[in-house]
Amino acid sequence: MTKAAPQARPRRRQHDREIVALAVPAFGALVAEPLFVMADSAIVGHLGTAQLAGLAVASALLTTAVSVFVFLAYATTGAVARRVGAGDLSAAIRQGMDGIWLALLLGAAVIAVVLPTAPALIDLFGASETAAPYAVTYLRVSSLGIPAMLVVLAATGVLRGLQNTRTPLYVAIGGFVANAVLNVVLVYGAGLGIAGSAWGTVIAQCGMAAVYLVVVIRGARKHGASLKPDAAGIRASAQAGAPLLVRTLSLRAVLMIATAVAARLGDTDIAAHQIILSLWSLLAFAMDAIAIAGQAIIGRYLGAGDTEGAKAVCRRMVEWGIGSGIALGVLVVVSRPLFIPLFTSDGSVQDAALPALLVVAVCQPISGIVYVLDGVLMGAGDGPYLAWAMLLTLVIFAPFALLIPSWGGGLTAVWGAMTLMMVTRAVTLGLRTKSGRWLITGASR
C-alpha cells in the first residue's frame, strides 16, 4: 500500500460528510415541492370532476412556466458558492440579491402576460368547455404568486451557495403545511371553490418568499452587502442564466416529444407512459439532490482556487451517482409488481408498463452520472457548454423518437429513446469533465 491511499481516506470521508449534509435536506425540499400540487388536487378533487380537470390544465401551465426559470436557483448557487470559497461573504450575498431582483422582474413580466392571455392559454392546452372556466380562474389567481415562486427559487440558490440546504427544507415543509390548511379553509370554510385553492397557494408562496427574504436581508446586514437593485448585477445574472434557460427548454422539449409519441401509440401506452414518467420524475429528485450538493461544493472549491479539491470531490460524487443509480435501479425492479397496481388495475396498461420500467431501471446508473456531472458543471458556471450539449442531445433524440410509431415500436422503444438521451448526455458531460476546461478558479468565472 502506498502512503497516498490512507491519506486519501480522510478526505473521502470529508467529501462524503459534505455531500450528505447538503444532499439529504435538498432531497427533502425537492420532494416537498410537488406535494403542493398533490394537496391542491386532493382538495379540489372533492369539488367535482370539472374543477379537478381545470386544476390539472392550469397547474401544468404554471409548472412549465416556473420550471423554465429554474436557472434562477442553479445559476445563483454556483455564483454565490464561488464567492464563499473566495472568502467574500458580502459579495456572495450581493450576488444573490441580484438574482432575487431578477426574479421579481421576471415574475412581474409573467403576470403581465398571463392575466390577459389566460383564456387563450387554457384553450391552447385543450381544456374542455366545462373545465375551461375553472382553469382560467385558477391560472389567473395563481399567476399572482409567480413572483414569490421565482423569489423562492433565487433565494434557495443563495442559501445553497452559502452551503445551507436545511433552511430551504424547513421553509418547504412550512409552506406545504400552510398551503394545505389555507386550501381547506378557503375552499370549504369560505366557500371560494377552486379560487380558494389558488389563493391559498398564493398566500403560502408569498409567506415562503417572505421568510427567505428575511434570512437573506439579515445576512446582507450582517456582512454589509447592499440590498438595492444594481442594473449591472441584474444584467450579469440574466446573462449567466440564459444558457441554463436554453438547457432547460431543450430538456423540456425532450419530455414533450416523448409524451407526444406515447400519445400517438394509443390510450394504453400513454396511460402506462404517465405512470413511468411519474416514477422517473421521483427518481430524478433523488439524483438531483446530489447534483445540488455538487453545485454548492464545486463552486466553493473553485472560488477558493482549489482545482485538485474540485476534481477529487467530482470523482467522489460520480461514485455516489453510480452507487445511487444502482440502488434505485434494483429498487425499481423489485418494487415494480407492487408499484404499477397503485396507479391502475387495467391489465393491458400494466403489461405495457412492466418492460418499459425495466429499461428505466437499467438506465439509473447512467442517470446518476448525468445528474452529478450536470451539477458539477453548473457549480463551475459552465452554462454555455451545458446549453450546447443539451441542444445536441435534443437533435439526436428527436428523430429517433419521432420515427418510433412509423416502424411499429411501442412504449418500450420510447423509453429506449429516453435511455439514448441519457447516454448522449453522459458522453457529452463526461468528455467535458475529463477535459478539465471547466476548472476555472476565482470569485467569478
Side-chain angles (χ1 to χ4, degrees):
M1 290 288 290
T2 63
K3 293 182 179 180
Q7 291 172 351
R9 292 194 193 103
R11 191 159 198 180
R12 283 166 61 90
R13 287 195 291 269
Q14 177 190 344
H15 293 329
D16 289 344
R17 287 194 296 269
E18 286 184 316
I19 293 167
V20 170
L22 291 172
V24 172
F27 175 70
L30 288 169
V31 171
E33 291 173 13
L35 292 178
F36 269 72
V37 177
M38 291 179 62
D40 288 1
S41 299
I43 293 167
V44 171
H46 291 286
L47 294 175
T49 302
Q51 289 91 331
L52 184 58
L55 171 66
V57 174
S59 63
L61 276 165
L62 288 165
T63 301
T64 300
V66 174
S67 67
V68 164
F69 297 114
V70 74
F71 70 83
L72 288 166
Y74 290 162
T76 303
T77 297
V80 171
R82 274 183 175 270
R83 284 161 175 77
V84 170
D88 192 347
L89 288 177
S90 176
I93 295 174
R94 176 64 259 178
Q95 176 81 38
M97 284 304 305
D98 291 335
I100 290 173
W101 281 112
L102 176 62
L104 287 170
L105 291 173
L106 291 172
V110 172
I111 290 178
V113 172
V114 170
L115 284 179
T117 62
L121 290 171
I122 295 300
D123 184 61
L124 183 66
F125 265 59
S128 67
E129 291 184 3
T130 54
Y134 297 111
V136 170
T137 297
Y138 190 89
L139 180 60
R140 279 180 166 160
V141 175
S142 293
S143 68
L144 300 177
I146 286 179
M149 295 168 72
L150 299 189
V151 166
V152 167
L153 284 176
T156 299
V158 176
L159 295 183
R160 288 172 180 170
L162 294 170
Q163 318 296 295
N164 176 1
T165 56
R166 289 186 178 274
T167 299
L169 171 61
Y170 300 147
V171 174
I173 293 173
F176 167 70
V177 173
N179 176 66
V181 172
L182 286 166
N183 267 256
V184 171
V185 171
L186 295 176
V187 171
Y188 299 117
L192 296 179
I194 194 169
S197 176
W199 278 116
T201 301
V202 169
I203 294 169
Q205 289 162 346
C206 289
M208 293 170 66
V211 172
Y212 274 120
L213 288 175
V214 168
V215 173
V216 173
I217 289 170
R218 282 179 179 173
R221 289 175 175 169
K222 179 179 179 180
H223 298 287
S226 173
L227 297 173
K228 296 179 180 179
D230 176 65
I234 294 171
R235 187 165 54 251
S237 293
Q239 290 171 345
L244 295 181
L245 175 61
V246 173
R247 167 205 168 272
T248 300
L249 289 174
S250 300
L251 181 56
R252 296 293 300 184
V254 165
L255 297 177
M256 289 175 65
I257 290 171
T259 300
V261 171
R264 291 177 62 187
L265 298 176
D267 290 347
T268 297
D269 283 324
I270 187 59
H273 176 76
Q274 184 59 34
I275 293 171
I276 298 169
L277 189 61
S278 66
L279 175 62
W280 191 78
S281 299
L282 180 62
L283 296 173
F285 282 132
M287 302 292 190
D288 207 25
I290 304 174
I292 287 168
Q295 294 169 29
I297 297 171
I298 291 295
R300 193 187 77 230
Y301 271 103
L302 293 179
D306 187 355
T307 57
E308 290 304 314
K311 287 191 287 186
V313 77
C314 176
R315 286 193 297 269
R316 187 57 180 154
M317 294 189 74
V318 169
E319 293 172 359
W320 269 78
I322 295 172
S324 299
I326 292 172
L328 290 172
V330 171
L331 183 62
V332 169
V333 173
V334 172
S335 65
R336 64 194 176 104
L338 303 173
F339 173 78
I340 296 176
L342 293 176
F343 290 85
T344 180
S345 58
D346 188 324
S348 61
V349 175
Q350 292 181 4
D351 290 342
L354 281 172
L357 272 180
L358 283 177
V359 175
V360 172
V362 170
C363 185
Q364 287 312 296
I366 299 171
S367 298
I369 296 172
V370 168
Y371 279 98
V372 165
L373 294 184
D374 206 38
V376 165
L377 296 181
M378 282 185 190
D382 206 13
Y385 181 84
L386 290 172
W388 284 111
M390 197 62 225
L391 281 171
L392 174 63
T393 301
L394 175 60
V395 169
I396 293 173
F397 167 83
F400 185 87
L402 292 171
L403 287 172
I404 287 174
S406 65
W407 53 262
L411 185 63
T412 304
V414 173
W415 282 94
M418 291 290 285
T419 299
L420 172 65
M421 180 268 292
M422 295 303 286
V423 169
T424 304
R425 292 185 71 191
V427 171
T428 55
L429 298 178
L431 290 174
R432 182 64 169 185
T433 306
K434 189 175 181 180
S435 74
R437 294 177 183 174
W438 55 281
L439 291 165
I440 298 175
T441 59
S444 61
R445 185 177 169 88

